[in-house]
Amino acid sequence: AELLRDPGLSNTERSNYLDILSRNGESLSIIINDILDLSKVEAGHLSLEYTDIYPKHISEDVISLLRVKAKEKDLALEFKCEVSDDDSIVADGNRVRQILLNIVGNAIKFTRFGTVKLHLYQTKSKLGQNTLCFEVADTGIGIPHSQRDNIFDMFVQADGTMTRRFGGTGLGLALSKKLTLNMGGDVSILKTKENIGTTFLIEILDQPAKKASQST
Ligand code: ADP
């Protein structure tokens, strides 16, 4: 913003500085929102809005939002869907979208070539509750064995050069984990192998009883 004050700038320079300014503004607002969300969860003040959500629609939204990013990196972005248009569960749709954007976004970020696949299906939990499963599989850099357990902790990135190479803060997975746990589900690593790829599993429980109360 300071550099933009220079009256002698060419149009190209001005437009470059504006691009940088707006990109960084966006990243800052993502970081601030993640920190605010994490603080809310930690303080026990996260309020969830339980409504009927349509997982197929949400997934399609997320895929179309991230398609540009995948295309920029020449990655295939696939969606395998085993639920129908009007299958619904009771959960917080905005939070489910946020978690998916994060995990599928990471899959794209940490994959140099190949495919990112989102697979959506339903199953039953041990207690018989309807459960949505989103498997996110990539052909990316993988997560070292030693990091598998703490990768969901705040500010943890698999190695110190990550921020430089890929950007990010190490908050996304911590937040996704806390949000899903709050909704009675979970995010876990199904499998990962260095330089072969990673598959994350997001489980979201159907909570019809929560629909009326509208909060946790
Ligand atoms: P960020 O992406 O901002 O670094 P996250 O909390 O979303 O933070 O992820 C934490 C770390 O987990 C990442 O820095 C990366 O090391 C690792 N990671 C997450 N998703 C993947 C993935 N799909 N493939 C490989 N590593 C991953």
Side-chain angles (χ1 to χ4, degrees):
E2 284 302 316
L3 290 169
L4 273 170
R5 287 183 204 279
D6 180 351
L9 290 179
S10 71
N11 282 344
T12 319
E13 283 169 322
R14 193 177 303 277
S15 141
N16 279 342
Y17 290 147
L18 279 171
D19 281 347
I20 295 170
L21 194 62
S22 105
R23 260 204 319 275
N24 285 315
E26 247 166 65
S27 323
L28 270 180
S29 91
I30 291 172
I31 293 170
I32 291 169
N33 282 325
D34 280 358
I35 294 173
L36 283 176
D37 278 344
L38 276 163
S39 316
K40 271 190 225 162
V41 178
E42 305 251 293
H45 285 306
L46 177 78
S47 62
L48 295 168
E49 269 187 53
Y50 286 93
T51 56
D52 292 315
I53 65 160
Y54 296 86
K56 183 169 183 227
H57 297 183
I58 294 180
S59 305
E60 282 167 351
D61 270 6
V62 168
I63 293 283
S64 70
L65 267 170
L66 292 175
R67 193 165 291 290
V68 182
K69 276 197 181 154
K71 212 165 182 181
E72 274 169 13
K73 296 183 75 177
D74 228 0
L75 299 174
L77 183 56
E78 294 175 5
F79 178 39
K80 179 176 171 192
C81 185
E82 293 184 60
V83 306
S84 61
D85 270 327
D86 42 8
D87 278 335
S88 67
I89 64 158
V90 175
D92 184 322
N94 286 330
R95 295 306 187 177
V96 171
R97 185 190 315 264
Q98 180 180 3
I99 294 160
L100 268 180
L101 272 171
N102 192 353
I103 307 281
V104 182
N106 270 350
I108 295 171
K109 180 157 89 173
F110 294 109
T111 301
R112 288 205 187 83
F113 43 82
T115 309
V116 170
K117 252 186 240 166
L118 172 62
H119 178 194
L120 168 59
Y121 55 94
Q122 289 204 55
T123 134
K124 294 262 186 215
S125 74
K126 283 187 197 119
L127 299 171
Q129 281 162 291
N130 274 336
T131 306
L132 277 184
C133 293
F134 300 88
E135 279 185 27
V136 181
D138 65 51
T139 55
I141 61 173
I143 297 169
H145 195 70
S146 58
Q147 298 282 341
R148 256 186 95 144
D149 292 332
N150 63 5
I151 209 81
F152 292 99
D153 294 343
M154 275 187 248
F155 303 112
V156 171
Q157 299 186 305
D159 83 64
T161 61
M162 284 286 174
T163 309
R164 225 179 329 117
R165 281 191 291 153
F166 299 98
T169 55
L171 288 175
L173 280 184
L175 181 57
S176 298
K177 180 91 171 174
K178 285 182 195 289
L179 289 174
T180 45
L181 288 175
N182 265 267
M183 288 192 280
D186 201 5
V187 181
S188 53
I189 296 174
L190 267 189
K191 55 183 178 190
T192 182
K193 198 160 188 200
E194 280 181 76
N195 298 317
I196 301 288
T198 304
T199 304
F200 279 88
L201 171 65
I202 306 159
E203 291 161 287
I204 307 285
L205 291 192
D206 184 16
Q207 308 236 46
K210 296 240 170 126
K211 196 170 154 188
S213 69
Q214 294 273 304
S215 67
T216 47

